[in-house]
Amino acid sequence: MHRLTLHLAGPVRLVDGQGAELPVKSVKARALLAVLAMSHGARCQRARLMELLWSRGRAQESLRQELRKLRMTAGADIFLGGTGWVGLDRSVVAVESASPQDGFGPAEFCDDLDTIREPEFEDWLRDCRQAMAPPGPAFRPPEPEAPPEGRAPSRPAVPVRITIGACDCAEDGQRIHAEMLLRDAAHRAAPLMHGEICESGPAAPAEGLLLGCRAAGGYGRIILQPQVVRAEDGKVVWSQFFAAPDELLAEMLADAVAATTVALVSAASKLRGAEGTGGPGRTEAAIPFADVFSFDRDRLARADAQLAVLQEGGGSGGILALRAMVRHNQLMERFVADPHECLDEADRLAHHALEQSPQDPFALSVASLTAGLVHGDEMALELAVMAKRADPDHAFVRQSLSVALSFTGHAEEAHAEANAARSNRMALLAPPLFHIRNAKSALGVGDRRAALRWGILAVQGAPSFRAAHRFVAALAYDAGEEETALRSLQALRALEPDFSLDLMAGDSYPVFTLRAAGLMAVTRSGLI
């Protein structure tokens, strides 16, 4: 019998067997309990907990202190642990997450945790609440609204300007490497953030983002420090040191380019939509990149609406490719009323993206994904190979190449590309996407335990990620972990109003990889 019950509907409460509430005073401790309770198998990587709740400061020590305090409050060891992970002992703690009705409607999930100002945790909390909310109707992109009568239309959104500044270097060789870093990062980031690359000088714009780099070296080593500066006020929004011996310079430069790309895309997202931003007559609007890979119904809808506005203003191939990616994700997550219409539109958008930007690696990689669903696996592979020729170190390129290699029977090569993509810093822009690709490629080489581990990580990063839940449900059931499988099946039933095991077993349900691997036993399990 459970000694304690953790209630997550309304405020987080830990209650003993007599119904008395135990005093969990720290909001971070309550959040820690909630995260563990909602994780698959009630287990979570310590690194993930620290990322969610202590992104700044002494994270490891803070986590250790909160665990110790919770043990003292509970009067028992309510946790399990292993190398790199901690879990909630479900034999001791029961979890109640259903929302009881009161006079004002259902209680909100963990409604006392909104004071935690950690971006990763805020995303986690929002995704959990949306996953537990009643499902809405299938999304159809909204038509752009005309401005009210008598009011002038809003100013057109213009690209975010990326100005490549001067490099602070003592030697010409260092300057060459620093400039290579900045130019490669700017050209890689621009299609992902609706960017326009400018050169520094007297006519350089006083808006957008400014790229700079310091460089030093000696004794067979080189040190680079790229930075991203907000041009309007000179605030440094990101900076990082990179150092390596001369023989590892190429690897260090590739890593620094990826990190600077992530910094640019992330900084640009904070410039979007501010009236008056960008000087007289300008409204800078960055692409909502994180929303495109959120796997959340509302965020995908928001991304599509913003991208549609940018497209009407004469958007680039990058915008069209991202709209195609939105359609692809909506299709895979079953957010659309007509899958065939959605797929046709994704293919059309990807085709137009290549017409506008035929050599853009991201546009080529998205075209590869849609081509695999419409035109066949060989064309998908050809496009993915072209994308890698254009930029061999682009994480999204290697991810799409891994997909194409999987579907053309090259399992080992697909797994190698998936590992390379996930290890690239650009994977930080959409971790669940790369985790689920690693899961599928691991399954392709017969490593089902690793596949399940990566699938669980994808779900932890995006609790409403339906494709990841399908994968985890099937693999966990195959591994004999019925509780983990049940949690994903229950999540799918909450996320998909028509979900059933019979539906999952149907030929039209999007579980191609699982079906090919013979992992459909979960559909006969009777778990739900």
Side-chain angles (χ1 to χ4, degrees):
M1 180 177 178
H2 295 103
R3 295 174 53 187
L4 303 170
T5 302
L6 179 65
H7 295 272
L8 300 179
V12 177
R13 297 182 300 121
L14 189 62
V15 177
D16 67 16
Q18 286 71 47
E21 184 174 345
L22 302 181
V24 184
K25 297 180 180 179
S26 165
V27 67
K28 291 280 181 87
R30 297 196 297 275
L32 177 59
L33 288 172
V35 171
L36 289 175
M38 295 300 291
S39 297
H40 276 275
R43 299 180 180 188
C44 189
Q45 295 293 314
R46 288 176 177 267
R48 175 62 176 163
L49 292 170
M50 290 185 283
E51 178 186 47
L52 284 168
L53 295 170
W54 295 281
S55 64
R56 299 174 295 277
R58 304 168 72 176
Q60 192 168 8
E61 182 178 338
S62 298
L63 174 59
R64 189 164 51 245
Q65 288 177 350
E66 294 295 357
L67 291 171
R68 184 174 65 250
K69 290 177 184 177
L70 283 167
R71 289 188 181 98
M72 294 174 62
T73 299
D77 192 352
I78 60 175
F79 300 110
L80 303 171
T83 304
W85 64 270
V86 64
L88 195 63
D89 189 343
R90 294 296 298 274
S91 68
V92 178
V93 182
V95 177
E96 292 287 343
S97 59
S99 297
Q101 295 280 340
D102 59 23
F104 301 95
E108 186 171 46
F109 175 80
C110 297
D111 70 2
D112 59 337
L113 302 185
D114 292 288
T115 57
I116 297 177
R117 295 291 178 252
E118 293 281 354
E120 288 289 328
F121 181 78
E122 289 174 341
D123 287 345
W124 176 88
L125 185 60
R126 181 184 59 246
D127 288 344
C128 282
R129 286 173 176 170
Q130 290 174 342
M132 300 180 74
F139 167 72
R140 284 191 176 277
E143 295 294 330
E145 295 183 4
E149 187 175 352
R151 183 184 300 176
S154 59
R155 293 178 298 180
V158 298
V160 173
R161 289 179 170 173
I162 308 169
T163 301
I164 300 176
C167 297
D168 182 5
C169 312
E171 300 177 3
D172 288 342
Q174 297 165 7
R175 180 173 291 103
I176 290 171
H177 293 133
E179 289 181 352
M180 286 171 57
L181 189 167
L182 298 185
R183 291 186 183 279
D184 283 357
H187 282 278
R188 187 181 289 176
L192 307 180
M193 55 178 274
H194 193 40
E196 176 183 67
I197 300 173
C198 307
E199 299 293 335
S200 62
E207 64 268 341
L209 299 170
L210 174 65
L211 271 177
C213 187
R214 295 189 179 97
Y219 304 101
R221 293 181 64 82
I222 184 168
I223 300 171
L224 297 171
Q225 186 190 14
Q227 64 179 16
V228 178
V229 178
R230 196 165 60 202
E232 62 180 349
D233 57 8
K235 180 181 178 180
V236 177
V237 296
W238 175 83
S239 181
Q240 188 170 345
F241 279 99
F242 295 87
D246 289 345
E247 61 268 22
L248 297 179
L249 175 60
E251 290 87 345
M252 183 195 74
L253 277 174
D255 189 38
V257 168
T260 308
T261 302
V262 172
L264 280 169
V265 175
S266 301
S269 68
K270 297 176 176 62
L271 297 177
R272 81 172 89 134
E275 186 67 21
T277 302
R282 291 174 59 88
T283 301
E284 286 185 328
I287 286 173
F289 193 85
D291 290 343
V292 172
F293 294 96
S294 64
F295 307 103
D296 171 83
R297 180 191 298 273
D298 293 336
R299 292 178 68 186
L300 282 167
R302 183 172 66 198
D304 187 70
Q306 289 179 260
L307 290 166
V309 171
L310 295 176
Q311 184 181 333
E312 287 180 357
S316 65
I319 291 173
L320 290 162
L322 280 163
R323 288 201 77 192
M325 196 72 226
V326 168
R327 290 289 179 274
H328 176 275
N329 292 341
Q330 288 173 332
L331 179 68
M332 293 296 103
E333 296 294 283
R334 299 184 71 237
F335 289 156
V336 293
D338 187 339
H340 296 291
E341 179 184 347
C342 180
L343 182 55
D344 288 343
E345 187 172 4
D347 186 51
R348 178 178 57 80
L349 287 165
H351 177 75
H352 290 325
L354 288 183
E355 285 182 336
Q356 288 202 24
S357 305
Q359 297 178 349
D360 177 55
F362 183 72
L364 284 162
S365 68
V366 174
S368 171
L369 293 175
T370 60
L373 298 172
V374 179
H375 304 293
D377 299 333
E378 293 300 329
M379 181 177 289
L381 180 59
E382 183 178 347
L383 287 165
V385 169
M386 290 171 61
K388 189 174 180 182
R389 288 197 195 106
D391 189 345
D393 294 317
H394 197 302
F396 290 89
V397 165
R398 303 196 77 165
Q399 189 266 350
S400 68
L401 179 56
S402 175
V403 173
L405 286 166
S406 289
F407 281 102
T408 51
H410 303 283
E412 294 289 345
E413 295 93 329
H415 193 46
E417 289 294 334
N419 281 325
R422 176 188 48 80
S423 301
N424 188 299
R425 291 201 196 213
M426 284 185 70
L428 294 171
L429 290 170
L433 173 76
F434 292 91
H435 288 150
I436 198 63
R437 174 83 298 259
N438 249 100
K440 293 181 178 181
S441 68
L443 180 60
V445 295
D447 192 347
R448 293 190 175 187
R449 296 302 304 174
L452 177 57
R453 184 174 68 251
W454 289 117
I456 289 173
L457 279 172
V459 166
Q460 288 179 344
S464 59
F465 191 178
R466 300 180 182 194
H469 278 297
R470 296 165 194 150
F471 209 78
V472 169
L475 279 164
Y477 184 76
D478 177 73
E481 299 182 20
E482 290 194 5
E483 184 178 349
T484 300
L486 177 60
R487 288 174 68 87
S488 268
L489 291 173
Q490 289 173 333
L492 285 168
R493 188 162 59 181
L495 291 164
E496 300 183 51
D498 60 342
F499 180 79
S500 68
L501 293 178
D502 287 340
L503 176 70
M504 187 176 182
D507 291 340
S508 63
Y509 196 76
V511 284
F512 318 113
T513 302
L514 297 174
R515 192 175 291 113
L519 283 167
M520 300 301 288
V522 68
T523 64
R524 302 183 294 276
S525 66
L527 286 177
I528 60 170

